[in-house]
Amino acid sequence: MTTTLPVASTVCCAPLVRAPLGAEDATRLATTLKALADPARLRLLSLVAAHEGGEACVCDLIEPLGLSQPTVSHHLKVLVDAGLLTREKRGVWAYFTLVPGALDAVASVLTTTGS
Amino acid sequence: MTTTLPVASTVCCAPLVRAPLGAEDATRLATTLKALADPARLRLLSLVAAHEGGEACVCDLIEPLGLSQPTVSHHLKVLVDAGLLTREKRGVWAYFTLVPGALDAVASVLTTTGS
DNA sequence: ACGGGTCATCGACACATGTCAATATCGACG
DNA sequence: CGTCGATATTGACATGTGTCGATGACCCGT
């Protein structure tokens, strides 16, 4: 294990602009946002979502990204650890899928129109 | 100028899970998300939003964050450069305010329920 | 004009991060 | 069993980032 927690489900808490969020909540949210704050990872999420069946294996993602296979694997691991993707190994291939509601949870914390 | 562009208004584009977003769009989005992906900056946004009148000066933010004044000033600059905060100097004090719709723009890009 | 208070900038430092080449792991299939 | 092909892990490297102390710039009373 390289990272810490199942974060995306821990994003929880208040809409950020309602109450001055504490240090712990801020750290958890920042951890999830750090996972998102990378061009390669954003494109990975986008590619997985747009791929047929909503799932894609590493081999599908290497070429469109233009990055090496280890780098792609690394980014995918970050996204899985952040709770944004799930990894399912079928035979030789590893299939990745969006975690339902994970991105929306982040979005809802950032939304200000909940007043 | 340390950074690049008025980003928050440039977040634009598609909801991320609709079409595989291009390299440029991914970079722009990542830039904005990087500005958000820090506990101190998240708490700053939260503190400013919760503060009386929706605005706060640096001196209001130093103590609740527990960081040095230069560090707070640095984080505020990052948020302003990202288009998430506005800075207005009145007399000796610098007042910061949330840019209306900036956070919501980021949130809408992340939302998947736009199908 | 002077001094005190608010904020920004600079320089330095430790640490995290993205990337790749090389290597390891592991399943499928002759 | 041996090999090939798909992923993951490791090690190394350059670069980016958060933090602070020191300093500079600015406004405002006195």
Side-chain angles (χ1 to χ4, degrees):
Chain A
M1 285 154 269
T2 39
T3 50
T4 51
L5 287 167
V7 197
S9 49
T10 325
V11 166
C12 67
C13 37
L16 176 65
V17 295
R18 296 295 291 164
L21 82 171
E24 284 189 16
D25 291 337
T27 300
R28 272 201 297 269
L29 220 196
T31 301
T32 302
L33 286 171
K34 268 188 223 291
L36 284 172
D38 183 273
R41 290 196 285 268
L42 288 173
R43 297 185 70 195
L44 279 175
L45 290 175
S46 182
L47 284 168
V48 168
H51 204 264
E52 168 196 335
E55 65 177 15
C57 66
V58 181
C59 57
D60 294 324
L61 304 167
I62 294 177
E63 189 216 10
L65 244 70
L67 295 176
S68 71
Q69 175 267 317
T71 301
V72 173
S73 222
H74 162 67
H75 285 310
L76 288 169
K77 177 178 175 48
V78 172
L79 290 170
V80 169
D81 288 341
L84 298 168
L85 284 184
T86 57
R87 190 188 101 117
E88 182 196 0
K89 191 133 189 180
R90 288 205 302 269
V92 180
W93 294 273
Y95 290 92
F96 293 85
T97 318
L98 279 193
V99 170
L103 281 175
D104 301 281
V106 179
S108 68
V109 177
L110 297 181
T111 301
T112 66
T113 58
S115 55
Chain B
M1 284 153 273
T2 37
T3 50
T4 50
L5 287 167
V7 195
S9 49
T10 325
V11 167
C12 66
C13 34
L16 175 66
V17 294
R18 297 295 290 165
L21 80 172
E24 284 190 15
D25 291 338
T27 300
R28 272 201 298 268
L29 220 197
T31 301
T32 302
L33 286 171
K34 268 188 222 292
L36 284 172
D38 182 274
R41 290 197 283 270
L42 288 173
R43 296 185 69 194
L44 279 175
L45 290 175
S46 181
L47 284 168
V48 168
H51 204 265
E52 168 197 336
E55 65 176 15
C57 65
V58 181
C59 57
D60 294 323
L61 305 168
I62 293 177
E63 188 216 10
L65 244 71
L67 295 176
S68 72
Q69 175 266 318
T71 301
V72 173
S73 224
H74 162 68
H75 285 310
L76 287 169
K77 177 178 175 48
V78 172
L79 290 170
V80 169
D81 288 342
L84 297 168
L85 284 183
T86 56
R87 191 187 100 116
E88 182 196 359
K89 190 134 190 179
R90 288 204 301 269
V92 180
W93 293 274
Y95 290 92
F96 293 86
T97 317
L98 279 193
V99 170
L103 281 176
D104 301 281
V106 179
S108 68
V109 177
L110 297 180
T111 301
T112 66
T113 57
S115 55

